[in-house]
Amino acid sequence: MKVAVLSFAHVHAGGYLRLLARMPGVEVMGSDPDTGSAAPGEVRGRAFADDLGVAYAETYEEAFAWGPDAVIVCSENARHRPLAELAASHGVNILCEKPLATTVADGEAMLAECRAAGVRLAVAFPVRFSPAYAAVKAAVASGEAGRVLTVSGANNGVMPTRARRWFADPELAGGGALMDHTVHIADLLDDLFGDARPVDVYAQTNNRLYEGEVDAETSGLVTVTYDNGAVATIDCSWSHPRSHHSWGGLELTVVGERATLEMDAFDQSVHGYSERRRQGLELPFGADLDERMLRTFLHGPQDTGMDVADGEGGLRTLKIVTAGYASARRGVPVAVA
């Protein structure tokens, strides 16, 4: 099986390339011709591929001429649509980095193009493959927790501009922390609630954590009301200090009529501090969620039965984010379209 990673703009591109390169029966190639958004010091393009020891295509056309069976889109958020449409025109299945797009119109166009071409469009939400989430989902599905009343979630992280500057560029990213971090928990709730749909969103944002450094919002709190009566809050802030031992984290508390369920998606790790590097260290020993997601995308659901998020689910999470930005601007709850 041949898999091409299109663009190295996203911080996860390197991880995907490493995982794919060591998967039996998988050939991998990278292509990253659009490096105009790279800030000084960011390694992109052929140099990035050479560091990882993977094959490289100078153009996307060359990558498709190689004949990939699937592609992973890791471009800046605003550039997801053209790459997805290019892949669809070649009849190639797509795993697109989250969020699906920066606008609902672009997300809908991507879905339409993929349907017309008969190709699969999936969205990279690896947290749904967490064993902790599987336990929460099982408790809800079995009725053990009772009807879900409220959910409190936090998807925090460090300011991502130290790795890729474009994350805080509203034009390329579509926003800031609200765009970057709301969607992971929104996807979990989309899966957890089944057919239940979000009704309205109330959000507040600011950039006090890094005021003057970036224009995009760096912190936010999003409240989502669902038509099953549940209310969820999502802390989507880039609130980890630069010295924090991990890039980010995701915690979820689900309050049901019979039980309260708590999960930490990334707690299987040992933390410490390096005096030599003067930074926190994290040594994970648990399941690799990215690897589980990639294997499922390429080979279908594994023993857990969890599948990758589809384009429709990605669009639903994007609509929550879009309503959140409208709410933050207007100061009132906004209906989800």
Side-chain angles (χ1 to χ4, degrees):
M1 180 178 292
K2 294 181 175 181
V3 183
V5 175
L6 306 182
S7 179
F8 303 156
H10 201 282
V11 293
H12 290 158
Y16 296 155
L17 287 166
R18 291 186 189 94
L19 288 168
L20 291 166
R22 66 176 186 237
M23 284 185 183
V26 174
E27 296 179 60
V28 62
M29 175 179 285
S31 184
D32 186 37
D34 298 325
T35 59
S37 67
E42 293 182 2
V43 180
R44 297 271 302 271
R46 179 174 289 279
F48 190 83
D50 288 347
D51 285 347
L52 297 175
V54 300
Y56 184 75
E58 295 289 348
T59 66
Y60 294 133
E61 290 74 15
E62 182 183 340
F64 281 106
W66 177 60
D69 300 289
V71 299
I72 303 176
V73 174
C74 291
S75 65
E76 301 86 347
N77 299 340
R79 294 172 176 164
H80 287 178
R81 176 180 174 180
L83 286 180
E85 291 179 340
L86 180 62
S89 71
H90 285 84
V92 177
N93 290 331
I94 305 152
L95 176 64
C96 183
E97 251 303 337
K98 61 81 192 171
L100 178 64
T102 57
T103 68
V104 171
D106 278 355
E108 290 174 339
M110 292 164 67
L111 282 170
E113 287 288 334
C114 290
R115 287 195 197 102
V119 302
R120 184 184 189 191
L121 175 61
V123 186
F125 287 123
V127 184
R128 55 169 48 206
F129 294 91
S130 162
Y133 172 65
V136 168
K137 182 177 180 179
V140 172
S142 68
E144 180 181 354
R147 184 172 66 89
V148 175
L149 304 174
T150 65
V151 178
S152 175
N155 183 194
N156 302 136
V158 299
M159 181 76 160
T161 53
R162 71 180 185 181
R164 289 289 188 260
R165 185 69 186 174
W166 68 265
F167 271 91
D169 181 334
E171 182 176 347
L172 291 174
L178 176 61
M179 179 66 76
D180 188 32
H181 277 177
T182 304
V183 290
H184 278 298
I185 292 177
D187 174 66
L188 294 184
L189 297 181
D190 190 67
D191 179 71
L192 185 68
F193 289 155
D195 294 332
R197 293 291 178 259
V199 176
D200 59 42
V201 179
Y202 177 71
Q204 291 190 356
T205 63
N206 62 59
N207 71 340
R208 292 179 183 175
L209 290 173
Y210 295 92
E211 192 169 1
E213 184 175 336
V214 298
D215 294 329
E217 78 284 350
T218 55
S219 60
L221 186 63
V222 181
T223 302
V224 188
T225 302
Y226 289 82
D227 61 10
N228 63 357
V231 177
T233 61
I234 302 172
D235 179 350
C236 56
S237 307
W238 291 332
S239 54
H240 285 181
R242 298 187 190 280
S243 59
H244 201 270
H245 54 68
S246 64
W247 173 264
L250 189 147
E251 298 85 35
L252 202 67
T253 299
V254 178
V255 179
E257 289 180 319
R258 300 192 185 98
T260 296
L261 313 169
E262 296 182 349
M263 65 161 278
D264 183 338
F266 300 103
D267 67 342
Q268 292 183 312
S269 59
V270 176
H271 299 146
Y273 185 83
S274 170
E275 290 290 349
R276 181 172 60 85
R277 298 181 182 179
R278 295 190 179 279
Q279 66 181 30
L281 295 177
E282 182 178 32
L283 302 174
F285 58 83
D288 189 318
L289 307 188
D290 286 342
E291 183 175 13
R292 287 187 171 194
M293 177 184 68
L294 292 177
R295 289 189 181 277
T296 300
F297 171 63
L298 296 177
H299 305 297
Q302 308 297 295
D303 54 354
T304 65
M306 177 61 72
D307 203 353
V308 290
D310 58 22
E312 287 82 1
L315 183 61
R316 288 192 293 271
T317 63
L318 178 59
K319 288 181 176 180
I320 289 175
V321 172
T322 301
Y325 277 114
S327 173
R329 288 193 302 268
R330 293 161 51 185
V332 296
V334 171
V336 177

